[in-house]
Amino acid sequence: MPNRRLWLVSLLFVAWLIWAETSFQFYDHALGRDLQLSASQVSLIAGSFLVPYGLLQIPVGRLLDQGRVDRWIWIAALMASGFSLTFAFSTDLVGLMLSRMGTGVACAVAFPASALLARRALPQNRFALAMGLTDSLLGWGAVFAALIPLVFPWTVWRQLVVFQALFLAVMVVVPVMVLGRGLPSPEPHNDGRLVSTVHWDRAGVGTVIKACLMYAWGGGFVFGLAQYGLISGLRVWGAERTQWMSLTMSFGIGIGMVLAGWIGSRSSRRGLVLLMGTGMSVLALIALLQLPNQAGGLLLLAALGLGLGLGSSVLAFPIAEAAAPPGQTALTVAIVNTTGTVTGGVMSIVSGLILEASGPGDLSPVLMVYGLFGLFGVAVAAWIQFSSVPAHSAA
């Protein structure tokens, strides 16, 4: 029971980190204008969150499998709150980058910790759905981030970041410290299973590699396209349409991840879901780039389709976890998440460079870069679907 309650609270931490990351795209122009920063400098600030966040996932995941999850969560949440406050009061590029890097470092705990708690608290056949619900916060957090400037258009970005910091301290740090008192110390089990020695077989490693490539596709698309409103910026949609398009795509991601997790509870369905999702994403991308600006309803439908397709990438987690040795849930989830977040950080910087180098209406660089990236996702999904390599264990 304590693990289940902690899992529910840990979801708030995951939702918060997504809110803190995605809300940046809605105040990046105001930040750049206030501090006189170029588009490439603003992209460096955004990427400074994702890169350290992704790189620390693996060592953090290894430590989580062996230690007290509750202590890691509240310490990390307290650090993230402090660095967010520092970011809110920074006045130069260096200060903004360092504080955002610190926030990313602290947030590296949130996702693998939540996945580990889900694995410990829920039946094994619910892990895919749990990961779908957890990762769907990527969409719901982005929806919330998009609604803030629509509902409260007068909000100043510094005030928003201060509110985010205080929210995290009150809603995550305090409850986790209280709930952690109900956990035994030290924990004798990993994922509820005794572990003597860890042995990764060749088939399991190969499956995890496929899952990493699949989530790299998803992360690269989500953060690369959404950051700075790449397509909307080049198509000169304006702030309001950009917000609604991002809101629609984020809603699709949230729904798509939950559906993929539910359908993918049976391992035999996962490859087909991925293949359909990647194909839908490519078609939706082409529609977003080719439909005229007057086709508002069709553009919103394309954004929804793109989000639904990208949501299928969440199945990378149960695919990898099923192939991993027992007691390696946090580490395995961290490995997969690292590829997605680091790829997302790199692609967000690439998007910033494309936006700065391209003129209004010049969508050919976007089509070339993200079109090829979309086809890469289709190829990986086909590889997973038609591969005959068995998983290490059934999910």
Side-chain angles (χ1 to χ4, degrees), residues 244-250 252-253 284 287-288 297-308:
W244 280 109
M245 293 295 290
S246 180
L247 182 66
T248 303
M249 187 186 77
S250 299
I253 291 173
L288 285 172
L298 291 176
L299 286 169
L300 284 173
L301 185 61
L304 179 65
L306 179 61
L308 288 170

Side-chain angles (χ1 to χ4, degrees), residues 179-193:
L179 291 172
R181 296 176 181 177
L183 290 179
S185 179
E187 295 176 358
H189 302 286
N190 288 304
D191 288 1
R193 298 169 285 181

